[in-house]
Amino acid sequence: MKNMENHTSVKSSPHNNTCGCHEGDYGCAIYVTSLLFGGVGLPLALVAIIALRSVVRADHVVPVYVINLLISDLLQLSSCIVRAATNEKKICNNFRNIQNYGLMVSICFMVIISLERYLCVAWPLWYRLRRNIRTSVKVCIVTWLLCLLLYIINELLVEKDILLAIFLLLPFPLFIFFLCGTHKALIRTHSVHTVEKRRIIGVLVLVLIIYTLLFLPDIIFLSSENKNVHVTAYILIDFSPLADLILYIFMRKGIGDRILAYLCSKMLRNSHSQSVENSAMMELGSPVETCNGEGDNKSGDVVRF
């Protein structure tokens, strides 16, 4: 966020490379990635928002949260392009703030989407009675306003890294809890179709992977003085809007289902091959068992899972 920008840019001098709002030895690298991510992600996010608007129904509120997630991505992608196109200090600062605000909003909506998936499986009756467009719109409005308030407070603090680190760390245990809770609930229920189960678990796993790979490195950045770490974390944060588009694909019926079905079938084939191999080894016995004539399962045997 803001502190990241301070570490990845320095005061301009004749020996520093300046590319748009990005200065320093790695400024042009960040400039190129910003243009690439913005140029690719901006039209794709617009298409995804238009496609999602057509599937919003009174009893299907998930697209509302995904639309807001994509709108926050639009703010980030637009800011990336503007900050690559100009080097005026005031414009750079304003759009840096917009980009950071959009980043905070996108993290919050990732948490909301995971929470919604958990509630619809673990507490289906309670959730079904309260699931409507009006409630989801209220949740979205509160989220945008709350993120704005938190960002203003963060800017007013002297030690900005403390609030930023808490904000980045807090969603991680929540994602793990939602994934584990949803998995346990899906094992117990038989009313959810297998395809829908795959989609729900796939979305939660993807959210956790995206957050682990793209957002948690920013915490390492906050405690590191290595410029390579700073630039890597900055580029990963810029890539997060494109990762949200991957999340959108997995939530849509069609190509996401085919990808998940392929991955599941591959895992089942590997599991079946391993099971057959373990069964054969158990029947033959280990060399020690064969010589001693023992049938006990000892520490050297293969254990079937």
Side-chain angles (χ1 to χ4, degrees):
M1 291 188 177
K2 184 175 181 178
N3 293 343
M4 180 181 295
E5 181 65 21
N6 291 338
H7 282 287
T8 54
S9 63
V10 295
K11 293 182 180 179
S12 59
S13 67
H15 301 287
N16 288 331
N17 297 323
T18 302
C19 297
C21 295
H22 309 289
E23 301 175 353
D25 297 335
Y26 299 94
C28 289
I30 299 175
Y31 167 84
V32 172
T33 56
S34 297
L35 277 182
L36 177 63
F37 296 155
V40 173
L42 195 61
L44 292 178
L46 287 172
V47 172
I49 291 174
I50 294 173
L52 279 172
R53 286 187 59 187
S54 62
V55 299
V56 175
R57 302 191 306 270
D59 61 340
H60 192 197
V61 299
V62 182
V64 177
Y65 301 134
V66 181
I67 287 174
N68 281 268
L69 175 64
L70 294 174
I71 291 174
S72 68
D73 292 337
L74 285 179
L75 292 180
Q76 298 176 67
L77 293 168
S78 301
S79 299
C80 284
I81 294 176
V82 173
R83 298 183 68 238
T86 182
N87 59 0
E88 188 175 340
K89 187 175 181 180
K90 185 176 181 180
I91 296 177
C92 290
N93 291 335
N94 290 337
F95 278 92
R96 181 196 61 210
N97 291 332
I98 294 174
Q99 183 177 0
N100 294 338
Y101 173 58
L103 178 64
M104 293 181 68
V105 174
S106 67
I107 292 174
C108 288
F109 277 107
M110 288 172 68
V111 175
I112 292 174
I113 291 172
S114 298
L115 173 61
E116 190 276 339
R117 295 287 83 187
Y118 168 74
L119 291 177
C120 75
V121 174
W123 305 91
L125 296 178
W126 179 89
Y127 178 72
R128 194 175 299 126
L129 294 175
R130 291 160 177 80
R131 180 179 60 182
N132 55 71
I133 292 295
R134 180 177 299 179
T135 301
S136 63
V137 171
K138 290 180 181 179
V139 170
C140 293
I141 293 174
V142 171
T143 301
W144 284 93
L145 294 177
L146 181 62
C147 288
L148 180 60
L149 178 62
L150 289 176
Y151 188 74
I152 293 174
I153 294 175
N154 181 71
E155 291 299 301
L156 295 176
L157 290 176
V158 177
E159 295 292 337
K160 298 180 176 61
D161 289 354
I162 298 176
L163 182 59
L164 179 59
I166 294 174
F167 187 84
L168 289 172
L169 273 175
L170 186 59
F172 188 67
L174 293 177
F175 290 140
I176 296 176
F177 171 77
F178 294 148
L179 176 59
C180 296
T182 303
H183 182 260
K184 290 180 180 178
L186 286 175
I187 292 176
R188 294 193 302 265
T189 184
H190 300 284
S191 59
V192 182
H193 194 271
T194 304
V195 176
E196 186 63 23
K197 287 183 179 181
R198 283 202 301 257
R199 189 183 301 119
I200 293 173
I201 292 298
V203 168
L204 294 178
V205 170
L206 187 59
V207 168
L208 182 60
I209 292 174
I210 290 173
Y211 198 83
T212 303
L213 296 181
L214 302 185
F215 290 95
L216 287 186
D218 195 28
I219 300 175
I220 301 175
F221 148 78
L222 292 175
S223 59
S224 174
E225 297 297 332
N226 191 315
K227 287 186 177 181
N228 293 328
V229 174
H230 301 164
V231 175
T232 302
Y234 193 83
I235 292 176
L236 290 175
I237 290 293
D238 279 352
F239 180 73
S240 61
L242 291 180
D244 291 340
L245 291 173
I246 300 174
L247 177 64
Y248 157 76
I249 292 175
F250 269 79
M251 295 188 71
R252 293 276 293 178
K253 294 181 180 180
I255 184 170
D257 292 336
R258 289 195 291 269
I259 294 174
L260 290 172
Y262 172 76
L263 293 176
C264 289
S265 63
K266 188 137 183 102
M267 292 174 63
L268 287 174
R269 284 198 300 268
N270 293 338
S271 176
H272 178 71
S273 300
Q274 185 67 29
S275 177
V276 171
E277 181 180 348
N278 290 346
S279 299
M281 294 182 69
M282 291 291 289
E283 290 176 1
L284 293 175
S286 65
V288 176
E289 284 181 336
T290 305
C291 293
N292 296 338
E294 298 177 353
D296 300 356
N297 192 12
K298 304 197 176 179
S299 58
D301 297 339
V302 177
V303 180
R304 186 181 303 176
F305 294 93

